[in-house]
Each structure stands twice: as C-alpha cells, then as structure tokens.
Amino acid sequence: MTIIVADDSLQIEKISKPNVKHYLMPYTSGYFAGRNLALSQVQTEFVLYVDDDFIFTNETVLEKMVDKLENYRITLVAEAVHNGVIIAGRANMIEIGYSKKGMCYRHKQIDITHPYLPHCWWTELSLNFFMARTKTLQRIGFDQNIVTSTRGHAEFWIDALGKSNSIFCNDVTVNHDSKSVANAVYTKARSNLRHYLLREILFKKNFCDILLR
C-alpha cells in the first residue's frame, strides 16, 4: 500500500519511509488543496479517504469495502466512526426543501436500504471515512478555496451530488481520537475560519440547512 502525504506544515518533518510519497506545499495551502494534490498521484483503482485523527483497529476491515466496490454498482462506500463511546455516522440524503427564505437544499435522515447489502443504506452525506473509485473522486475533487474548516467536509458531499453512487454501511468501523493530533496553531486557524466558511457554503450552494459533523 502506498501512502501519499501532502504537507503544508509550518515546520516540515521530512518523511523517509518505504512506500511513502511526501509532497511539500506552501504553508497553509489548505487541506483541500493538499487532498487534490495527493489524489492526483493515486494510481490504484480505489482510494481510501480518512482524517488524520482516525485510528485503525481490528474492526477496520478494508477488504469489506473493496468487496462492495468490486461487486456492486457503487462508486463510494462510507463506513462508521467510533468516538470512544458511540458509533457515529449514518446515511443522510439531500433534498430540495422550501422555507420562508425560498427554495433551497437541506439534509435529511432517510433510511433507504441497499437491496443486496442489509448493513448499508444509500447516502449523499456521511462522515469522512470512505473508500471510493479513484476516477469518481477525481471527478468530484475538493474546493481549494476552503483552507481549513469542518464545513469543508460538507462542501465535498455537496459537490458529489449527481457524480457518485454512495452508500453508508456500519459493518466496518474506525476509531476517532482528535486529541492524538491536537495542535494549538491549527486549532486557532480552524476556529477563526469556521463561521465565515459556513456562510460561504450556505450562499454558494443555496443551502438552508447543513449537517455540521
């Protein structure tokens, strides 16, 4: 397995490991710009997408995700995230709704089970633990205008509408531990951009409601 690292850190720590490709970027280029760079270097049919505070366990069986992509007409498989106490994540659909502000998109929790996979549901909005066909993910891409914010997660799923057949399943889990990668400089930058970027996404994508986590 090849690991691709797109690094825009203030203090670069060079990674010299077998099967690791380490690309250096200007400071604060943004994690979406980094993901576009990394994605452009992927040469395999499938690519795994995870956050840096996810921890693999014996329950993180990637072969199950590969099997779904190989044997069903699916382009993206999202799975569950274990937050220490509870299993997070579920299937969400994006619908056109109406409000006093007019017509807009909003997320809605709707359970539509996949006809051949009882542990899976069709989804248009899930958490950031998924495996996808590389070509599908490259076609969706990531918005490089978003430097760092939890709102960028939702931005990706909005851009994926109409480009991916996605499912959410709960038969594979990964652990989540945000304290393991805590960084005061990054946390401050992320907090400063949070509210601005939420408004930007709402206006640009005509959203009146959005899944925050």
Side-chain angles (χ1 to χ4, degrees), residues 43-57:
Q43 299 179 5
T44 54
E45 182 179 3
F46 307 130
V47 59
L48 180 68
Y49 183 98
V50 296
D51 284 345
D52 58 357
D53 53 4
F54 288 172
I55 301 172
F56 286 24
T57 71

Side-chain angles (χ1 to χ4, degrees), residues 143-154:
D143 190 340
Q144 297 188 156
N145 294 316
I146 295 180
V147 178
T148 173
S149 172
T150 55
R151 312 313 176 192
H153 297 175

Side-chain angles (χ1 to χ4, degrees), residues 83-97:
N83 286 317
V85 180
I86 62 172
I87 301 294
R90 59 163 295 151
N92 295 273
M93 304 300 287
I94 296 177
E95 65 173 8
I96 297 178

Side-chain angles (χ1 to χ4, degrees), residues 139-177:
R139 185 166 64 250
I140 298 169
F142 299 96
D143 190 340
Q144 297 188 156
N145 294 316
I146 295 180
V147 178
T148 173
S149 172
T150 55
R151 312 313 176 192
H153 297 175
E155 174 79 19
F156 165 80
W157 291 99
I158 298 167
D159 292 340
L161 288 174
K163 300 175 184 176
S164 175
N165 293 325
S166 306
I167 58 174
F168 168 80
C169 307
N170 60 12
D171 58 341
V172 176
T173 62
V174 68
N175 280 6
H176 176 228
D177 182 8

